[in-house]
Amino acid sequence: MSQGVDVSDLFSEMVKACATVDVVQKKLVYVFLCSYAHLNPELSLLVVNTLRKDCLDPNPMVRSLALRSMTNLRLPSLVEYVEQPLTAGLRDRAACVRRVAVLGWAKLHNLQPGSEIDATVVNELYSLLRDPDPVVMVNCLRALEEILKEEGGVVINKPITHHLLNRLKECDIWGQSEVLRVLQRYQPQSEDELFDILSLLDSSLVSPHPPVMAATLCLFLSLCSSLPAVSQAALERVRGPLLAACGSGSREMRFTALCHIQGVA
């Protein structure tokens, strides 16, 4: 496969091989099956049966691998067999399984973009925004954005906003950027709340990570559209880091920094 050779004729043999107990071998077999599932939709039903069994495995790595592979088969005819394991995955005790299950619902939605996902699942995804694992929280934002795209994306209210801001530092760089981007659609209900939010964002505005700094600046300017003095002060604070990013050794970083400067100029 890695050399571009068509080995799809081995699909039936690989279906049997996925029963291996070796996690590394299992992962390789699942990569093969996901790559050729669209050429063997009928035999893929046998793969789903094995994957559903692996979703009950005591090893969380096996459970998460099975869930990820099940959604990566990308066969609309198998959606009905995938929904139940994904629902169970949202309540799994292992964070790695919940991470995969959350994104799995977004993949499932992409397979049938015209269909509506059960409101119970949407509500469960909203509840997982308060999951103790920050990656699960950010994955929920991404999944809800995809699932609710036609409705304007995830609904950001006051409790969700303050919850996300208070947990911002737990997320990695790209998780923080995602949270800050989504929060741009929230409008504070009072001036006191606005300044509370700005206080929580203050440290991120001078973050050493350019993506976080740029996303925070965009949120600052969005929140302070009616306060030009505050917006100007925020621009003054990030002027140095933005100009420094323009001298980065990475062409992509230089281009992105210039785009941000052009956007706020």
Side-chain angles (χ1 to χ4, degrees):
M1 280 179 62
S2 63
Q3 296 175 3
V5 177
D6 182 5
V7 287
S8 57
D9 291 341
L10 297 173
F11 194 86
S12 58
E13 285 77 8
M14 294 297 275
V15 169
K16 300 173 185 176
C18 67
T20 177
V21 295
D22 185 282
V23 177
V24 176
Q25 290 180 16
K26 191 181 287 288
K27 184 174 183 178
L28 291 172
V29 171
Y30 283 162
V31 169
F32 174 96
L33 296 174
C34 291
S35 299
Y36 291 111
H38 65 286
L39 299 176
N40 301 271
E42 294 181 359
L43 278 176
S44 295
L45 183 59
L46 300 176
V47 178
V48 170
N49 290 335
T50 303
L51 288 169
R52 284 170 65 98
K53 291 179 183 177
D54 281 349
C55 287
L56 303 174
D57 194 274
N59 186 342
M61 290 183 61
V62 174
R63 297 200 301 274
S64 61
L65 175 61
L67 270 182
R68 181 182 293 109
S69 302
M70 201 180 297
T71 52
N72 285 345
L73 290 173
R74 298 192 178 277
L75 293 174
S77 59
L78 302 180
V79 167
E80 60 181 302
Y81 302 100
V82 180
E83 289 180 342
Q84 190 276 328
L86 279 181
T87 301
L90 294 177
R91 302 160 191 165
D92 197 278
R93 62 184 180 275
C96 63
V97 180
R98 298 197 301 276
R99 295 175 183 180
V100 173
V102 167
L103 293 181
W105 280 108
K107 294 178 186 178
L108 215 61
H109 178 71
N110 284 335
L111 281 178
Q112 297 181 315
S115 63
E116 292 185 6
I117 288 191
D118 190 349
T120 305
V121 173
V122 174
N123 290 336
E124 191 141 7
L125 289 174
Y126 268 112
S127 69
L128 282 173
L129 288 174
R130 297 187 178 275
D131 192 275
D133 184 77
V135 178
V136 174
M137 179 183 75
V138 174
N139 283 359
C140 277
L141 280 179
R142 291 169 176 152
L144 286 168
E145 283 285 273
E146 187 67 32
I147 293 168
L148 303 174
K149 185 185 298 182
E150 295 183 2
E151 301 173 22
V154 59
V155 176
I156 301 296
N157 56 26
K158 182 176 179 179
I160 290 177
T161 297
H162 287 268
H163 170 72
L164 294 175
L165 285 171
N166 285 320
R167 296 192 59 191
L168 191 63
K169 292 182 180 179
E170 298 177 30
C171 305
D172 61 14
I173 296 172
W174 301 112
Q176 291 183 50
S177 302
E178 181 75 12
V179 169
L180 292 165
R181 181 189 65 79
V182 171
L183 290 179
Q184 289 185 39
R185 67 181 63 144
Y186 178 71
Q187 289 299 320
Q189 299 171 9
S190 67
E191 189 171 290
D192 287 341
E193 184 190 0
L194 169 61
F195 283 102
D196 286 342
I197 292 175
L198 295 182
S199 297
L200 290 171
L201 291 171
D202 190 67
S203 60
S204 298
L205 193 61
V206 289
S207 169
H209 308 294
V212 176
M213 177 198 65
T216 307
L217 176 61
C218 290
L219 179 55
F220 244 87
L221 297 179
S222 172
L223 292 170
C224 302
S225 56
S226 59
L227 299 170
V230 178
S231 298
Q232 185 62 36
L235 288 169
E236 289 291 332
R237 292 188 67 188
V238 301
R239 180 174 59 180
L242 270 178
L243 291 175
C246 292
S248 169
S250 165
R251 290 178 296 176
E252 292 82 359
M253 183 64 73
R254 292 199 300 271
F255 175 77
T256 304
L258 289 170
C259 286
H260 278 287
I261 290 174
Q262 185 181 36
V264 302

